[in-house]
Amino acid sequence: MALDAILKPINRLGRGTASALAELGYAGAILVESVYFALVGWRHGQPVRPAAIVEQMRQVGIDAIPIVLLLSFTVGLMLGIQFVSAFSEFNAESQVVMAVAKSVTREFGALITGILVAGRSGSAFAARIGSMNVSQEVDALYVIGIEPVRYLAAPALVAMLVMLPTLTVLANTAAIVGAALYCAPVLEVSPVVYIIQTLHALEMRDIWEGLSKSVVFAVIITLVGISTGFGVTGGAEGVGRATTRAVVLSITLLVVADMVFSFFLNR
Amino acid sequence: MDAEPVIDVQRLNVWFGKRHILHDVDFRVMPGEIRVIMGGSGSGKSTLLRHLLGLLKPRSGSVRILGTDIAAASSAEVLRLRRQMGVSFQGGALFTSMTVGENVALPLREHTDLDENTVRIMSRLKLEVVNLGGFQDLMPSQLSGGMVKRAALARAIVMDPKLLFFDEPSAGLDPVVSAELDELILQLRDAMRMSIIVVTHELESAFKIADTITVLDRGHILMTGPVAAVRASDNERIQDLLNRRPRKVEVDTDEYLRRLTEAEVD
Amino acid sequence: MKNECTTEARDGLHLVKVAGEVDLSWSQSIRKAVLDALGRAPAVGVDLSAVTYIDSSGIAALVEGFQSARGKGQKFALVAASPQVRAVLQLARLDRVFPMVDTAEAVTS
Ligand SMILES: Nc1ncnc2c1ncn2[C@@H]1O[C@H](COP(=O)(O)OP(=O)(O)OP(=O)(O)O)[C@@H](O)[C@H]1O
Ligand SMILES: [Mg+2]
């Protein structure tokens, strides 16, 4: 029927919107509950254990340091190459220091770290909680009297909120060192001088811009990973699907959020 | 003897989407009773169990556990209830990231401030009870199916709960272990004064341990009664279940054709 | 019956008398009483004749006492355990582990 052909897509769109909204609400609830348990859970017999937070910090943060350093060093080097070649076309090489410093601290440090951690840890959250869901471990937590959000989500969120900005600072440093190694000879200064010039070029708000983005990224990655994990149905296959979805969705949201941030902060 | 039921379910109705899964279920268990829930696949046993555990909230009807309405209880009350309930899930549901010993000790660590020595002794004691003495340092992935089940039971009873729920205790176990488990269920009731709810398909085991049996069929309670009464029942569906007869499926021509030809609703 | 735990000093023996329903809420005080008695006397008996229920935290207290006594070569026994206590001990086959005697005098012999 002709009417059906029109109504069906509308119907589907409506249902898609509704489920997206429901998911947003669900993620919001996890956020609120995690914060609640982290702050006052111990008063209601639901403490968030420091040991669990430390363990998460190791997994999402410490273990990611080598790859974050390597990647941001490389990207810094690449930025150096590109800026030098672009600026030299109109003889503005002296601006390279400034351009690298600002683009790294405001943008790339946080973004690279975010994407990496989304790939490493966002997927790990989804996989871990998803498989716990499938094997009734989440139910087991409930009946033992342990709120799954308190036990699984809150430590991850706290760890991410601490570690992602920390990793971002490391990434900024590595990227600038990478850029220095390429640009300093071209600009005929020593790498140390290049770095000192960078520090002079930077303002506090450049650093803050990157760090505040990384806090938002931490929330996005954690909530997407965890809510996707809790939503898993359909056995091992479902866990696989959830893992992929968590990575794709969190990177997408991350880039969009980054764009929105940059837009409003640089007007 | 107090006559308050430990579980009191009244007129529970459950829908999943448009499907009516449980119809007007009344279910009452007295202290010290061993109740077996039987029924064919898809009859709603797990769904009923999930309501008793408070994993699903009733939208129609009421579920009272140890005198508390779980749908209306505050989170502190629910927590107090949970400390008095132990559950052994069908697949065990051991936490794969912890050793067997840590799994069993978890409820104690979370809910009591007992001294670490006492926690260790209590959790190993429960492993002894289920014949897994000395296995505390293995990871769940290193256990056989039957051992997982027994470890899950150890975790379920580590807090000495008043109420023990056991989903399919003997499925997939060898006959000796399964008989030992039946014996253990009886001992737990007698020594630890637990009230025990068991979901099972195994008739032999059901008849051995049950005080009373509830038979579920397509979401309806066919009967609840002592073992002898259930065996003597002249209800055809119950006899099908007891005698492992294939059930007679009634064919309604219109309904059948509709199922085959109806366009999908999406 | 009232929940109670008292210690009696006899010649060469401390007798810890427990009565009532032993559960998590006060089993730690039994643990302390048993360990204290072991610190003061060469032989300790735990009288369980008036115990109507004992949970595993109570059993754990007894196990800890027995373990500590064995470590120091002291005598330790459960005295006149009630049927309820025996049933719980049997669950974990502890009735074959603990020395079980019928009278306080038998602890030292
Ligand atoms: N989450 C759910 N969503 C939709 N339908 C469900 C859900 N869980 C169970 N059902 C349906 O409810 C009915 C009862 O399922 P339930 O799992 O309670 O059966 P059961 O008696 O435990 O069967 P089995 O012995 O096979 O485990 C089934 O028809 C099932 O399809
Ligand atoms: Mg089932």
Side-chain angles (χ1 to χ4, degrees), chain B residues 139-166:
Chain B
M139 298 304 282
S141 58
Q142 298 170 302
L143 300 183
S144 76
M147 288 158 81
V148 165
K149 217 154 228 174
R150 283 181 284 152
L153 177 58
R155 185 177 69 189
I157 59 175
V158 75
M159 295 276 290
D160 297 317
K162 286 209 176 81
L163 262 175
L164 176 64
F165 297 86
F166 211 152

Side-chain angles (χ1 to χ4, degrees), chain B residues 122-192:
Chain B
M122 281 175 75
S123 49
R124 298 206 181 154
L125 214 61
K126 297 301 180 177
L127 284 172
E128 292 287 344
V129 168
V130 298
N131 274 327
L132 281 180
F135 285 93
Q136 63 272 0
D137 293 329
L138 294 189
M139 298 304 282
S141 58
Q142 298 170 302
L143 300 183
S144 76
M147 288 158 81
V148 165
K149 217 154 228 174
R150 283 181 284 152
L153 177 58
R155 185 177 69 189
I157 59 175
V158 75
M159 295 276 290
D160 297 317
K162 286 209 176 81
L163 262 175
L164 176 64
F165 297 86
F166 211 152
D167 199 358
E168 296 284 355
S170 30
L173 297 186
D174 74 59
V176 176
V177 175
S178 139
E180 281 172 1
L181 221 49
D182 289 344
E183 198 56 46
L184 182 59
I185 289 175
L186 290 169
Q187 285 180 348
L188 283 172
R189 188 263 309 269
D190 295 337
M192 307 305 294

Side-chain angles (χ1 to χ4, degrees), chain C residues 78-94:
Chain C
L78 306 185
V79 181
S82 63
Q84 291 93 329
V85 173
R86 282 175 195 272
V88 177
L89 290 176
Q90 269 161 19
L91 262 183
R93 293 177 298 278
L94 278 169

